[in-house]
Amino acid sequence: MALKLVHISDIHLDPAPILGHDPEENFARCLADILRDHGDADRIVITGDLTHRGRAESYARLAAMLEDSGLAGDRAPRLLIGNHDDRETFVSVFPQTPRDGDGYIQWTEETPAGVFVYMDTAEAGTHAGHYCARRRAWLDAQLSAAARDGRAAYLFLHHNPGVIHVANADRIGIVQQPELLALLLAHRDTVRHLFFGHCHYTLSGSLRGIPFSAPRSTCHVCWPDFSGIADRMGHGALAPNYNVCFVDDEGVVVHSIDFLDAGKVRWLED
């Protein structure tokens, strides 16, 4: 039986509107949609940019919204940080979140589908992603252990780990892409899928033979721009979403759920 995973990213909680969108209202509607239609999800993961400015009050608001949702235990969302987050402020509100020996917010979890690896690609003072030598050593150890145990691994991170051919996203992807991709290539038989966010539009493809997927933001969705102009970003009244993924030995199937459009659906039934 496939493990059902809900993948959310870039919720950007903040009391003020962002580019004309209400991040808290949108996330509330996202949670309501998940609770209504996907209450049977085995795991829920939010891959970073939990807040827009890394403020304690926004993390407290997130904690309150999650508590009110009733999502707990295995269904409690796994929270990763992104470039709009502040690591220490996040930990002050969510002290139960695991950290590695160097203090990065990354850990592994055994699931029926395999090992879920939650990664910390944030670096203070920059929107670009970083996965330094210490973090890569940690990841190498986790993937080596999974390989020894004959377990598949699924990686979750905020930043795009490779080039996606959109200039304004590629300049703030992971800086150490060659080193990280070389590590992933070495573990290609173990790593089955990469789940990330950061770019705010739907993405899918593969890197070094490893499939990946990314949802849009639940707040301000972007439009992919192939002009090569790094300072240009498209946005507007575009549908936010989250992904529903089914993970098993046969592969990974990813569905995009445009949750604000749920009220437009009409059902035909015999």
Side-chain angles (χ1 to χ4, degrees), residues 74 92 96 214 249 267:
D74 282 345
S92 73
Q96 72 279 12
D249 290 340
W267 301 99

Side-chain angles (χ1 to χ4, degrees), residues 7 23 74 98 128 162 181 226-227 231 263 268:
H7 178 199
D74 282 345
L181 291 177
F226 307 105
S227 69
D231 293 328
L268 292 176

Side-chain angles (χ1 to χ4, degrees), residues 9 15 33 53 55 67 87 91 95 110 124 126 151 162 176 183 185 202 217 225 234 239 265:
S9 199
D33 196 77
R53 294 181 172 86
R55 294 174 177 168
E67 182 176 1
R87 186 178 289 106
V91 170
E110 290 286 344
T126 177
R151 301 282 280 158
Q176 302 87 0
L183 174 59
L185 179 61
T202 300
S217 168
D225 170 52
V265 177

Side-chain angles (χ1 to χ4, degrees), residues 27-186:
F27 184 57
R29 293 180 67 176
C30 173
L31 283 178
D33 196 77
I34 291 166
L35 289 168
R36 183 185 66 244
D37 294 336
H38 307 292
D40 61 340
D42 298 291
R43 293 293 187 280
I44 301 172
V45 182
I46 308 178
T47 50
D49 281 359
L50 306 172
T51 71
H52 195 54
R53 294 181 172 86
R55 294 174 177 168
E57 53 267 32
S58 294
Y59 292 116
R61 176 62 177 146
L62 173 59
M65 294 176 78
L66 295 180
E67 182 176 1
D68 290 345
S69 74
L71 294 169
D74 282 345
R75 296 198 309 151
R78 276 55 172 166
L79 304 177
L80 282 66
I81 63 170
N83 49 293
H84 280 264
D85 290 305
D86 181 275
R87 186 178 289 106
E88 298 309 320
T89 306
F90 168 79
V91 170
S92 73
V93 179
F94 293 94
Q96 72 279 12
T97 305
R99 306 177 80 170
D100 71 8
D102 292 308
Y104 293 110
I105 300 167
Q106 49 183 22
W107 72 102
T108 64
E109 178 182 24
E110 290 286 344
T111 78
V115 181
F116 279 17
V117 182
Y118 305 112
M119 298 165 58
D120 182 339
T121 60
E123 187 81 3
T126 177
H127 286 298
H130 282 260
Y131 211 65
C132 61
R134 286 181 178 272
R135 282 176 271 194
R136 294 196 305 274
W138 176 87
L139 178 61
D140 187 34
Q142 309 313 311
L143 297 179
S144 295
R148 286 195 301 270
D149 295 340
R151 301 282 280 158
Y154 301 87
L155 274 53
F156 297 82
L157 62 161
H158 179 69
H159 291 83
N160 47 302
V163 172
I164 62 166
H165 303 283
V166 175
N168 66 7
D170 285 336
R171 72 173 178 177
I172 56 172
I174 292 180
V175 171
Q176 302 87 0
Q177 284 182 12
E179 295 88 347
L180 177 57
L181 291 177
L183 174 59
L184 295 180
L185 179 61

